[in-house]
Amino acid sequence: MSALLEVSGLTTSFLTASGYLPAIEDVNFAIEKGETLGIVGESGCGKSVTSLSIMQLLSSNGKIQKGSILFEGKQLVGLKDTSMRKIRGNDIAMIFQEPMTSLNPVHKIGKQIGESLRIHRGLNKEQSKQKAVDLLKLVGIPRAEDIADEYPHRLSGGMRQRVMIAIAMACDPKLLIADEPTTALDVTIQAQILDLMRKLKAEREMSIMLITHDLGVVAEMCDRVVVMYAGKVVEQGDVRDIFRKPTHPYTIGLLSSIPRLEDRQQRLSSIPGNVPSIEVMPAGCRFASRCPHATQRCADDEPSLLSVTDNHQARCWLVDEKGVAV
């Protein structure tokens, strides 16, 4: 049986003064029905560009240059906007990174939730408003009838994020893309939002693509993990394999950077340097300048994704052609 979403060889570029430069290159992954896939990496690694490519919401200077995005076997790359609008918000929904800038400040909450119901389900104004109230109750917002008549600026950050989830869940999507859904929320509200997403996933038999830089969230929420660096997938596999036996030095660095209560006397680990700009990408391994194990081969030649085990790959010369970690 084919996956719900299959991304193959995806390359998305943006127009700069130097011409079109790739922000993500040759990205490959799949999401099965009912699965939660985590996509992790530092800011600037291409996580959000990947999600916007899937949703076909790239800015005017961006375009998909190569690759395939299959959703339930249907090709999304090159799909006409009228056809994509029938999928976007209906079969595939997205929770954006910052709810205050994603919600329309001049429209009431109930109207914004009801918009997709009117477009995709043909509900009238009264029906969509009642459904909006039901959705607000579903995501745990008290006084749902009153909140439906409020404007976004009247709500707290946690409540705005719940509203974003209500909008995303309005049409029972098969795939929910959540881009940093708990950023800027305190840990108590973050836990509530993650519990809510887990509950809705179980109730609706929905798949989730979770974009985050928080590995703690990944460990709690995800079945599989894709680690991205400088626009490329550098490691992917089952969440247990990635956490128990990380292979790529970048993944090892990310995991080593997590604070641990038992090591309170230890200095926090960090990865030196920065993610390279798309205008000055190195010729070999993109992580070589920051890697403690880099050799001349790393500087000259870029490795492909090599198999560590059947369901675990890493883009690193530390993995030989037989799939054995060196």
Side-chain angles (χ1 to χ4, degrees):
M1 186 176 69
S2 61
L4 179 69
L5 180 77
E6 293 181 86
V7 175
S8 305
L10 182 64
T11 298
T12 297
S13 300
F14 289 87
L15 183 62
T16 69
S18 305
Y20 276 99
L21 296 176
I24 58 172
E25 278 189 81
D26 194 28
V27 171
N28 297 275
F29 61 84
I31 303 176
E32 303 293 336
K33 184 177 180 181
E35 180 181 53
T36 299
L37 176 75
I39 298 187
V40 301
E42 294 169 274
S43 297
C45 284
K47 306 185 302 294
S48 294
V49 172
T50 301
S51 67
L52 293 173
S53 298
I54 293 168
M55 294 293 286
Q56 307 288 294
L57 287 174
L58 295 166
S59 56
S60 58
N61 67 329
K63 69 175 182 179
I64 296 173
Q65 290 195 310
K66 289 191 297 184
S68 166
I69 303 171
L70 293 176
F71 179 74
E72 293 189 312
K74 185 173 186 176
Q75 181 60 256
L76 302 187
V77 176
L79 196 65
K80 290 183 179 178
D81 196 48
T82 51
S83 299
M84 190 63 207
R85 279 201 297 267
K86 294 177 183 178
I87 296 173
R88 191 189 300 128
N90 188 26
D91 294 322
I92 307 176
M94 186 166 177
I95 303 171
F96 292 92
Q97 196 167 136
E98 177 44 63
M100 196 60 220
T101 56
S102 301
L103 293 169
N104 192 321
V106 300
H107 290 302
K108 293 180 179 179
I109 295 299
K111 182 178 180 180
Q112 296 190 56
I113 297 174
E115 182 179 10
S116 61
L117 293 164
R118 294 190 295 274
I119 293 171
H120 296 297
R121 300 298 164 91
L123 301 189
N124 60 34
K125 185 178 179 181
E126 194 58 41
Q127 290 170 326
S128 64
K129 184 174 182 180
Q130 183 54 54
K131 180 66 174 175
V133 171
D134 293 341
L135 285 162
L136 288 172
K137 291 177 180 177
L138 177 71
V139 299
I141 289 184
R143 301 184 300 107
E145 291 84 357
D146 297 331
I147 296 299
D149 285 324
E150 292 283 10
Y151 291 95
H153 73 273
R154 301 271 295 174
L155 307 184
S156 68
M159 290 183 75
R160 286 196 294 266
Q161 195 62 284
R162 287 174 185 267
V163 169
M164 290 295 296
I165 294 173
I167 292 172
M169 298 302 300
C171 294
D172 290 328
K174 297 170 184 175
L175 173 63
L176 175 67
I177 300 175
D179 188 357
E180 302 278 10
T182 56
T183 296
L185 300 179
D186 66 62
V187 290
T188 304
I189 302 301
Q190 173 177 300
Q192 292 173 5
I193 294 297
L194 294 177
D195 284 341
L196 173 61
M197 289 175 62
R198 213 169 11 234
K199 172 175 172 282
L200 293 173
K201 174 196 169 186
E203 290 176 353
R204 307 295 177 93
E205 296 184 343
M206 177 179 65
S207 300
I208 297 177
M209 176 176 150
L210 179 62
I211 298 169
T212 182
H213 61 270
D214 190 331
L215 289 165
V217 171
V218 169
E220 185 179 349
M221 291 286 293
C222 299
D223 302 303
R224 289 191 305 112
V225 187
V226 170
V227 182
M228 293 189 70
Y229 181 77
K232 288 208 169 189
V233 174
V234 295
E235 189 162 4
Q236 61 180 324
D238 183 89
V239 67
R240 290 181 294 273
D241 291 338
I242 298 295
F243 275 77
R244 290 174 184 171
K245 193 180 179 182
T247 300
H248 196 283
Y250 179 60
T251 310
I252 294 169
L254 290 177
L255 290 168
S256 299
S257 301
I258 301 173
R260 289 174 173 80
L261 288 175
E262 65 270 21
D263 295 331
R264 281 180 290 181
Q265 304 304 316
Q266 290 283 344
R267 188 178 180 86
L268 283 176
S269 176
S270 63
I271 303 173
N274 298 296
V275 179
S277 164
I278 62 172
E279 296 180 342
V280 288
M281 283 295 175
C285 173
R286 297 183 176 187
F287 188 63
S289 64
R290 306 175 70 187
C291 179
H293 308 290
T295 64
Q296 189 58 47
R297 185 185 189 189
C298 302
D300 296 338
D301 302 317
E302 183 179 25
S304 57
L305 274 173
L306 301 171
S307 293
V308 180
T309 63
D310 288 344
N311 299 308
H312 183 181
Q313 296 87 39
R315 190 184 298 276
C316 183
W317 291 122
L318 290 176
V319 181
D320 68 18
E321 286 73 10
K322 295 180 181 178
V324 179
V326 177

